[in-house]
Amino acid sequence: MIILVLNCGSSSAKYQVYDWDKKDVLAVGVVEKVTFDGSWIEHKPKGKEEFTLKQNCPDHTAAVELILKTLTDKEHGVMSDMSTIKAVGHRVLHGGDKFTKSVIVDDKALDVFEQVKDLGPLHIPANIMGIVAAKKVLPDVPHCAVMDTAWHQTMPPEHFLYAVPYEWYEKYSVRRYGFHGTSFLYVAKRAAVLLGKDPTKTNLIICHIGNGSSVCCVKDGCSYDTSMGITPLEGLIMGTRAGDMDTATAFYVMRKAGMSAVDMEATLNKKSGLLGITGKYNDRRDIEKAAKEGDQRSKLAEEMESYRVRKYIGSYLAALGGKCDAVIFTAGVGEFSGHLRKKFTEGLEGIGIELDDNANNMAHSRNGEFIISTDKSKVPIYVIPTDEELVMTEDAFALMEGKYDVHTKFKYSFQDKNYVNKARAEGLKKDLAKDPNLKKIVAKNSWAPALNEVG
Ligand code: ADP
């Protein structure tokens, strides 16, 4: 039985194919430049050569058709025919405050997405197009929507409301929603396994640092506060997004430079953050290299980003009354950049968060779950690679079976202490063969088979 997960952006359609019986990922890929001339598919099937094909996709239906054609292709495909696909999970940016968990997409759900379209004008219309397109091509299977906002619906009103006229909340649904929820859910559940704790008794500070970044304060296993707001613009300094700033800055510059609201929104989302400060780079690897070569703006950008992360960690530690079981890093930067993790935790020893430099330098792969704090650190620091696609797959499967519920009443496979991510465990085995010392930082309770191989 195959579960397909789709993530349709404005000009792309990403996919992952999961074999439910073998508990294995069969293929991942993406169609780029959907709706533009010159689209192409990049397809990575397990155990076969990667494959790229140029084919124009004037709309998302054409992109979904191309994905399915590729998946069932004799040479490059991973399934004999489309009938083995039993459910489709769709990533949706925003569910407003209507959804606290994933749902099967019916007309009512599509209506809600239409209503909140203005809260995510770049993403939501594309998400809807993807769902409509996939329903057309695969009409006989359940289509499920997994929303990035659902996880955060446990935040109390004093955390999610803004101090603006209350009727804005009533009339226009103005409030903090938070994003990256699918990632936070996965990481929070894995953290409970690694800590050997009941997830509903676990307090965490999770830093999802990628191109887009946010921090989530988790109390008793549920989202208690988060740095992103009504849209993903608020909070940390990101690749191209400004994060927190005085709202008046926007009005002031709009008046001074004669900018429209649309231009300002685009500038704060696409030309600000690290790109705005450096003027050149939004990829942290480029910034690190330039900073090391003496580029002052790149150095400044790193200091600004790190200071903002430390500020959030400190404030969430206070929000938890100092009772925090772990600080966790995840996503591209969180998983790979020891250089930035060091900066994100510098000077936090006084509040019980102490990085082990050697351990931190060793952790730079998606294969393992690592502990990178010193033995003295009151709060342990972990690196836990995220797996949003697995959450989507399991939600879609459980919805199809009628066994799904909100995360506090539902057990994911990765909450089992014997859970193994096969591909990652294989990767870890190879990493350990190259560097047996890595064993020292593999978190207790993480997948053991890879460790056993090296004795
Ligand atoms: P997205 O937010 O688009 O999902 P990811 O979570 O994959 O992105 O993170 C992408 C970012 O991760 C890149 O912009 C890059 O800055 C950063 N990154 C990836 N690998 C490394 C690395 N080895 N060192 C530093 N930064 C990295």
Side-chain angles (χ1 to χ4, degrees):
M1 178 192 317
I2 301 289
I3 313 282
L4 172 67
V5 301
L6 282 175
N7 181 358
C8 288
S10 53
S11 61
S12 70
K14 294 187 188 139
Y15 62 93
Q16 179 172 296
V17 180
Y18 191 82
D19 184 325
W20 187 264
D21 310 305
K22 292 190 183 139
K23 299 277 176 279
D24 212 358
V25 175
L26 296 186
V28 294
V30 62
V31 183
E32 299 277 14
K33 294 247 175 203
V34 182
T35 74
F36 293 96
D37 266 356
S39 0
W40 71 92
I41 187 167
E42 274 168 35
H43 174 65
K44 295 180 186 166
K46 191 185 169 187
K48 291 184 183 178
E49 289 274 299
E50 285 183 27
F51 166 69
T52 305
L53 177 74
K54 282 189 184 159
Q55 184 172 314
N56 270 357
C57 295
D59 55 29
H60 285 78
T61 310
V64 174
E65 277 167 358
L66 176 58
I67 291 171
L68 290 169
K69 199 176 105 198
T70 310
L71 292 177
T72 50
D73 182 82
K74 273 213 173 90
E75 199 179 337
H76 308 286
V78 291
M79 62 181 87
S80 51
D81 70 278
M82 271 166 24
S83 66
T84 45
I85 300 176
K86 297 297 179 206
V88 185
H90 296 267
R91 184 158 195 184
V92 177
L93 178 80
H94 218 304
D97 54 9
K98 302 289 185 296
F99 297 120
T100 56
K101 57 184 196 282
S102 303
V103 289
I104 293 202
V105 187
D106 53 12
D107 289 346
K108 244 167 69 189
L110 279 174
D111 261 5
V112 173
F113 303 147
E114 284 288 341
Q115 283 162 31
V116 295
K117 216 154 74 171
D118 288 345
L119 293 174
L122 293 176
H123 296 88
I124 303 170
N127 298 155
I128 297 174
M129 275 190 279
I131 295 172
V132 172
K135 279 185 126 186
K136 216 188 291 174
V137 184
L138 293 164
D140 300 322
V141 301
H143 289 257
C144 311
V146 182
M147 285 138 294
D148 263 333
T149 49
W151 157 263
H152 295 292
Q153 284 296 307
T154 46
M155 287 190 290
E158 60 271 30
H159 296 187
F160 74 64
L161 283 172
Y162 293 119
V164 292
Y166 193 78
E167 60 267 26
W168 291 7
Y169 171 54
E170 294 171 314
K171 271 194 199 161
Y172 309 122
S173 307
V174 168
R175 51 159 288 179
R176 175 185 311 286
Y177 289 99
F179 297 85
H180 292 136
T182 319
S183 171
F184 289 133
L185 184 154
Y186 174 82
V187 171
K189 303 292 184 193
R190 284 302 297 162
V193 174
L194 303 185
L195 289 159
K197 284 195 77 165
D198 175 347
T200 65
K201 294 196 173 81
T202 309
N203 291 351
L204 308 163
I205 298 171
I206 308 175
C207 306
H208 176 116
I209 321 274
N211 194 24
S213 310
S214 69
V215 191
C216 184
C217 175
V218 177
K219 190 175 184 197
D220 297 328
C222 292
S223 176
Y224 187 58
D225 200 356
T226 193
S227 58
M228 281 180 169
I230 184 169
T231 76
L233 183 55
E234 196 182 344
L236 298 179
I237 294 173
M238 307 175 217
T240 63
R241 295 193 193 111
D244 296 337
M245 59 180 255
D246 183 343
T247 319
T249 316
F251 310 135
Y252 172 73
V253 176
M254 281 160 78
R255 280 197 300 271
K256 279 280 186 195
M259 268 170 100
S260 67
V262 172
D263 286 348
M264 179 53 74
E265 192 179 17
T267 304
L268 293 177
N269 273 295
K270 293 185 165 173
K271 294 185 186 160
S272 299
L274 300 169
L275 179 64
I277 298 299
T278 61
K280 294 179 265 198
Y281 312 117
N282 65 311
D283 191 307
R284 303 335 189 275
R285 288 163 287 199
D286 298 331
I287 297 172
E288 182 182 344
K289 183 165 176 281
K292 282 190 177 141
E293 286 166 4
D295 181 63
Q296 291 305 315
R297 296 267 208 97
S298 294
K299 279 190 192 168
L300 176 64
E302 284 194 330
E303 296 307 325
M304 287 173 68
E305 179 183 21
S306 311
Y307 178 65
R308 185 78 54 90
V309 173
R310 295 198 297 268
K311 223 159 73 160
Y312 268 98
I313 293 176
S315 62
Y316 286 165
L317 191 60
L320 293 171
K323 293 188 186 111
C324 179
D325 295 300
V327 169
I328 300 152
F329 291 102
T330 192
V333 179
E335 292 160 20
F336 289 101
S337 179
H339 169 71
L340 283 174
R341 283 192 306 254
K342 184 171 166 64
K343 287 187 160 297
F344 296 159
T345 48
E346 220 152 43
L348 300 186
E349 300 81 13
I351 55 170
I353 300 167
E354 193 175 302
L355 192 79
D356 179 318
D357 282 340
N358 284 333
N360 181 47
N361 289 335
M362 279 195 267
H364 45 70
S365 94
R366 211 152 247 184
N367 297 328
E369 297 169 315
F370 302 118
I371 183 155
I372 57 167
S373 44
T374 64
D375 294 341
K376 278 193 315 198
S377 187
K378 254 169 66 190
V379 185
I381 311 170
Y382 287 91
V383 176
I384 301 182
T386 194
D387 198 344
E388 291 151 295
E389 289 76 17
L390 184 59
V391 177
M392 293 174 67
T393 302
E394 295 206 10
D395 283 6
F397 179 79
L399 276 162
M400 175 185 77
E401 297 266 289
K403 290 182 182 156
Y404 176 71
D405 209 336
V406 70
H407 73 89
T408 45
K409 296 183 188 158
F410 179 77
K411 195 169 171 198
Y412 288 91
S413 69
F414 48 85
Q415 288 182 251
D416 194 289
K417 66 177 179 11
N418 298 318
Y419 169 75
V420 179
N421 179 317
K422 282 189 196 165
R424 288 180 181 178
E426 281 298 316
L428 184 62
K429 225 186 282 178
K430 287 182 194 147
D431 295 346
L432 283 162
K434 271 189 236 148
D435 179 7
N437 270 330
L438 198 60
K439 192 174 177 178
K440 291 187 195 143
I441 66 161
V442 172
K444 197 176 147 203
N445 300 335
S446 187
W447 28 85
L451 283 180
N452 296 340
E453 288 285 321
V454 290

